[in-house]
Structures are given as structure tokens and as C-alpha cells.
Amino acid sequence: MLNGIMTELGKERSVIREIFEYGNARKREIGAENVFDFSLGNPSVPAPACVREEIGRLLSEMPAQKLHGYTSAAGDPAVRAQVADYIEGAFGVPSRADLVYMTCGAAASLTITLNALCEAGDEFVVVAPYFPEYRVFIERAGGRFVSVRADEHFHLDLNALEKAVGERAKAVIINSPNNPTGAVYGEAELKGLASLLKKKSAERGAPVFLIVDEPYRELTYGAVVPYPARYYADTVTCYSFSKSLSLAGERIGYISVNPACTGAEELFAAVCGAGRALGYVCAPALFQRVCAACLGKSSDVNVYRENRDLLCGALTSYGYDCIPPEGAFYLFVKSPEADAKVFCERAKKYELLLVPSDSFGVEGYVRVSYCVERSVIERSLPAFERLVKEYSK
Ligand code: PLP
């Protein structure tokens, strides 16, 4: 017999992937230029020049067996030191190379951190709308998934969090800049969250950790993204280069355990143990080194900014209600009818492929990924306009 839960997970199609596959089939039928696929969060801007330059330099200067061989499980020591120096320099918080663990992207950073923290019966609190894989990651680590609504502007609702963070809460996960809303949490709300978690930790007599999922940190349109570990000691940062450097397929990121964390060394040992148990021998060796040379850099965010302005401006002028994104590359749009799934089916008639917000744990919205060629947005606008007019008839 097979593991039933895994078989279920494998068979259960991700809504987003299903829409993407539908789009590919449709493109074969009617031509790619006639399908407007806004489903996936695959970066559409090339990686910055430093990525190719560093790949070239490493390939020509570093002996191949060293470049492509295993690194230490936690990562190449020089790379970990560069990451720690970068964190200290950029965010003004202490960081230690021996508390940095190189990973295969944010998904690995999260699963490793959750497995490191989770004991039987622990709860992990996420803010809805949320990245759909959180539920899978939490439940497979043995935790209980608890979701709490963001406020009406999709920022943290501290009153709701106060109620949701209970006796068994082991950690809260936040994601800013946010997928799917584009919200960037400001300093005041992070300070508010920090005091709430300090109070809860004191009541519980054990830390309630803050897990910060930030693959979109560099992708903002003027908003400052505060570094949460500045405000709350018990923070584990789960970073990824997938989006910032457009390296989603290369699978590279890191975990940084804040040195001020309760039992930081023990927690880091648990991170190493979880990485080992999950079979992550080490993160891709070439890309560890490439990313170390590109810390703090990003793909040209102006391309996303122009896409955002074009799409958000046009949709608003047609009568859609859009949340202006402060970061990431997603537009969260109110569905003109209560059931966003029905609306997305209707959008398909116009070859518009949108993701209903039900996948993100809230109803009544759709996510439009604007990490696409500009021409796709331009060609799609008449379809968006005709679609919304159906509702004014
Ligand atoms: N967290 C969020 C909020 C995401 O949007 C994504 C990917 O879209 C991930 C984690 C996973 O990122 P990675 O590709 O680095 O594993």
C-alpha cells in the first residue's frame, strides 16, 4: 500500500497549475497570442547582469569538481558569511554565519523551519489571504493550520491575531510583500505584532516564533520593507532568490535564525536536522556562490512597476475594484460577483486566465499575476473591459 496522504496530495491538482495547463492547451488550439494567462508567479524579467557574469566567472575560474561538488549541508562557509554580512549591513541587525542555512528556495526554507519547530499539537497561524502551500507545509510537518483574516486593506489585523494566537501557537507566518495582495507591512504594524507576540510568549512561558517568508523583499514600488527581526527577537527569516533575481527554477534561498532568538544554536541544530531528515543534502552549489555575489540586487523592478500601472489603471477605469499593490507582482481584484470561481469561468470565455481567491483562503477576489510580457497586458485589456460590461447590463 502507498501513503494515502501523499497519494492524495499528488493527485490533488493545484488550482493555479490547473489554470496554467488549461492555458497551454488553449494556446495550442487558438494560438498563444490569443490567450491571456495571468495565473503563474513565474518572473518575466531577466535576471540582473551580475547573475550571468558571476556564472561565467565561476565556470572559468573555479575548478569544476570544487564548483559542482557537495558543500557543507548548511552551505558553503564563505557564502554563509557573505549572507550574514549582507544582513548586518543592509538591515542593521546582528547576523551570524553559523546561523545561516542555504536552502532550495522559500518552499524549502519554510518546510525546514516548520519541521524544526513543530512538536505534536503545535499550531501555526497564517494571515489570509495566504500562499496556498502553507497549509500543506504546516500539516505535513505535523502542525495545525490556523488562519486569521487580514484587515480590509489586507494588512495585519492585530485584534484578530490576538484571538487567533492561542496557547498552542508555536509560530505566526507573515509574508510581505504579499502574495496575492501586494501589501507591504509597515514598521508600526510590525511593532504591534512584536508586542503582541511578546505578550503571548510571556503568557505561554515559551516563545511564539515569527516566521518571515519574504521572497519578494526587493520587489517594491517605493515602499520600504522593514526587517521584522529588528522588532522581534524570536524571528526566523525564510528568504529566496526565486523572485528577486528571477531564479525560480534554480531553487536557491536561505534561512537566517536571528542570533537573539531564544536558544538560537539549538534552533539552528533543529534546522540542520530537519534539512537532513527531509533529504536536502545541500543547496545547489553553483547558485549558492552566484547569489552570494548578487546579494541585495534585483531584476529590473521598473518593468513590473509599468505592468502594474498599466493593468491597475486600465482595470480601475473599466470599473474594477483593485487593491493597488505596493510590492510583489500580483494584482488582487474584487470579483464583480460574489463567487470568484464563477467569475473566473466567465473570464475564460474571453481567454482571460485568472486565479480565484478561494485558493488563498478568502472569497470574492481574483489574483492577476502581472509578471508577463507587456504585450500580453496590452492585448488583454479589451477582454477585461468586455468582461466587466457583462455585469452592467
Ligand atoms: N512563499 C510565497 C509567498 C510565494 O509566493 C512563493 C512562490 O511563489 C514561495 C513561498 C515559494 O518560493 P520558492 O520558489 O522560492 O520556493
Side-chain angles (χ1 to χ4, degrees):
M1 288 299 280
L2 304 175
N3 180 314
I5 294 171
M6 293 301 158
T7 314
E8 268 307 294
L9 270 179
K11 283 186 179 165
E12 179 194 283
R13 307 277 296 271
S14 136
V15 174
I16 301 174
R17 290 271 154 191
E18 203 157 273
I19 299 169
F20 174 67
E21 295 306 342
Y22 169 85
N24 285 340
R26 211 55 200 132
K27 283 177 186 171
R28 284 193 295 275
E29 278 166 41
I30 61 166
E33 68 287 1
N34 299 314
V35 180
F36 313 117
D37 183 355
F38 294 102
S39 62
L40 277 194
N42 212 357
S44 57
V45 178
C50 62
V51 167
R52 279 174 174 267
E53 283 160 15
E54 192 58 15
I55 293 173
R57 194 189 69 74
L58 287 163
L59 288 176
S60 64
E61 291 178 14
M62 208 166 157
Q65 76 281 12
K66 185 154 193 287
L67 180 59
H68 301 300
Y70 293 124
T71 67
S72 304
D76 179 286
V79 170
R80 296 167 69 200
Q82 279 169 281
V83 171
D85 285 351
Y86 173 73
I87 292 173
E88 285 212 7
F91 311 121
V93 292
S95 179
R96 279 181 18 207
D98 62 336
L99 298 176
V100 170
Y101 185 97
M102 301 306 295
T103 66
C104 301
S109 301
L110 288 163
T111 50
I112 291 171
T113 301
L114 289 164
N115 276 276
L117 289 175
C118 190
E119 295 173 284
D122 281 348
E123 294 178 351
F124 291 83
V125 181
V126 309
V127 181
Y130 50 76
F131 179 56
E133 295 301 279
Y134 287 164
R135 180 189 286 278
V136 180
F137 297 165
I138 290 169
E139 290 179 351
R140 291 323 302 152
R144 208 170 81 76
F145 175 90
V146 177
S147 151
V148 57
R149 272 296 290 250
D151 71 11
E152 73 272 30
H153 306 293
F154 297 107
H155 279 255
L156 297 175
D157 182 338
L158 295 178
N159 291 328
L161 274 159
E162 164 78 47
K163 293 192 192 97
V165 179
E167 291 250 299
R168 301 304 312 258
K170 181 54 86 56
V172 172
I173 303 181
I174 57 168
N175 164 228
S176 163
N178 187 266
N179 172 10
T181 65
V184 174
Y185 301 157
E187 189 175 51
E189 62 193 307
L190 289 175
K191 282 185 173 166
L193 177 64
S195 34
L196 186 147
L197 294 181
K198 278 179 205 159
K199 185 176 129 237
K200 293 285 179 179
S201 302
E203 282 166 16
R204 194 172 175 257
V208 180
F209 290 92
L210 179 61
I211 300 175
V212 178
D213 176 25
E214 48 179 37
Y216 302 95
R217 164 166 282 283
E218 288 78 14
L219 304 184
T220 64
Y221 311 109
V224 175
V225 186
Y227 196 68
R230 278 180 88 116
Y231 314 105
Y232 189 61
D234 288 313
T235 296
V236 181
T237 304
C238 292
Y239 184 80
S240 165
F241 298 94
S242 293
K243 316 285 174 164
S244 58
L245 296 181
S246 300
L247 292 178
E250 302 300 349
R251 313 309 303 140
I252 184 77
Y254 62 78
I255 296 167
S256 169
V257 173
N258 188 25
C261 237
T262 310
E265 284 84 7
E266 279 294 293
L267 173 50
F268 190 76
V271 163
C272 295
R276 179 179 172 193
L278 291 167
Y280 290 115
V281 175
C282 65
L286 170 63
F287 277 90
Q288 288 189 42
R289 296 177 178 113
V290 170
C291 289
C294 302
L295 287 161
K297 301 260 175 35
S298 78
S299 309
D300 185 0
V301 78
N302 283 320
V303 179
Y304 295 131
R305 184 201 305 274
E306 285 163 20
N307 283 2
R308 174 195 72 154
D309 292 348
L310 174 62
L311 190 64
C312 195
L315 265 55
T316 307
S317 76
Y318 304 151
Y320 288 96
D321 187 355
C322 305
I323 316 296
E326 302 164 275
F329 39 51
Y330 307 103
L331 187 63
F332 212 47
V333 182
K334 202 157 179 23
S335 166
E337 61 184 296
D339 190 333
K341 288 191 286 224
V342 175
F343 173 64
C344 289
E345 281 307 310
R346 207 185 266 231
K348 275 186 183 167
K349 283 196 302 182
Y350 297 87
E351 310 302 342
L352 288 168
L353 306 184
L354 317 173
V355 182
S357 60
D358 306 61
S359 333
F360 305 100
V362 299
E363 291 173 356
Y365 289 82
V366 293
R367 188 189 77 173
V368 188
S369 294
Y370 55 85
C371 45
V372 294
E373 292 293 323
R374 179 82 34 83
S375 59
V376 175
I377 300 179
E378 285 162 354
R379 278 186 280 111
S380 73
L381 294 180
F384 274 112
E385 190 170 16
R386 277 186 280 129
L387 172 62
V388 79
K389 275 198 180 139
E390 282 199 18
Y391 292 88
S392 54
K393 279 177 195 157

